[in-house]
Amino acid sequence: MSEMEKKTILDHEGHQKLQEELEDLKVNKRKEIAQKIKEAREQGDLSENAEYDAAKDEQRDIEARIEELEKILKNVEVVDDTNVNEKVVGLGSTVKIHDNTYNEDLTFKILGSTQANSLKGIISNESPLGKALLGHEAGDEVSVEVNEEVTVYSILEVSRNK
């Protein structure tokens, strides 16, 4: 599978948000921008019309985002965490770990890279820590090497739908 065909992994909520955004762009934003362009055209000379240029730029951005969303949604894998082993870390798991180096507890949800947001406690299954945690369970220790520095984490708890 080439890099372009890589599956995008989303949970149900993330999938729904992208579908809603795509629908809004196609149904509402396209109409809004078409109206802005029409109004700008009615002002006459397009060569020095800042409103027209801004509207065309916005239209280009909207069309690019629509194309991006369609590509993502065409090749998406939605994580169904209803029939999974809740004791083993997998996509959609919420994992409480103990960082043995800094002696602190951390909690993360593991999702695909499209939804990863470390500020919200969501890490990618492709990140070094995400990869290391996958397939393990509470009580296991995992080592993560980043920039030649190894950090050991103890898995305290694994849960779903939190």
Side-chain angles (χ1 to χ4, degrees):
M1 189 177 277
S2 74
E3 193 63 30
M4 294 299 288
E5 296 171 351
K6 192 170 115 184
K7 285 241 182 264
T8 300
I9 299 168
L10 299 170
D11 64 0
H12 287 288
E13 181 184 349
H15 185 245
Q16 186 174 347
K17 281 182 182 176
L18 290 184
Q19 285 180 316
E20 288 169 1
E21 180 184 353
L22 180 61
E23 185 70 14
D24 181 53
L25 288 172
K26 284 181 163 182
V27 174
N28 301 319
K29 298 292 188 222
R30 274 183 172 162
K31 283 181 187 165
E32 289 172 19
I33 201 63
Q35 184 60 34
K36 285 182 186 177
I37 291 170
K38 181 178 179 250
E39 289 170 7
R41 275 196 185 120
E42 290 169 356
Q43 294 175 13
D45 184 10
L46 298 180
S47 64
E48 294 179 24
N49 187 327
E51 287 86 7
Y52 179 78
D53 291 341
K56 290 301 277 184
D57 286 346
E58 189 177 344
Q59 182 183 42
R60 199 169 27 256
D61 293 345
I62 288 169
E63 293 305 321
R65 181 64 177 156
I66 287 171
E67 187 178 325
E68 179 185 14
L69 288 172
E70 285 176 338
K71 276 184 188 169
I72 289 170
L73 292 169
K74 189 173 114 188
N75 206 12
V76 71
E77 180 180 324
V78 180
V79 177
D80 179 11
D81 58 9
T82 54
N83 298 334
V84 292
N85 183 343
E86 292 187 17
K87 295 180 180 181
V88 177
V89 178
L91 286 166
S93 292
T94 298
V95 186
K96 184 175 182 182
I97 59 175
H98 181 78
D99 181 330
N100 296 334
T101 304
Y102 293 100
N103 194 29
E104 63 182 342
D105 291 349
L106 307 163
T107 302
F108 295 107
K109 184 166 186 169
I110 300 177
L111 292 173
S113 58
T114 305
Q115 289 182 277
N117 182 338
S118 59
L119 298 176
K120 292 184 177 179
I122 302 170
I123 62 171
S124 166
N125 62 312
E126 299 171 18
S127 69
L129 180 56
K131 276 185 195 174
L133 291 170
L134 291 175
H136 289 278
E137 26 186 293
D140 290 355
E141 283 194 350
V142 297
S143 299
V144 179
E145 184 177 340
V146 178
N147 300 329
E148 298 181 19
E149 189 175 306
V150 177
T151 304
V152 178
Y153 299 94
S154 301
I155 301 175
L156 303 175
E157 193 178 303
V158 179
S159 59
R160 297 284 174 162
N161 296 322
K162 283 190 178 174

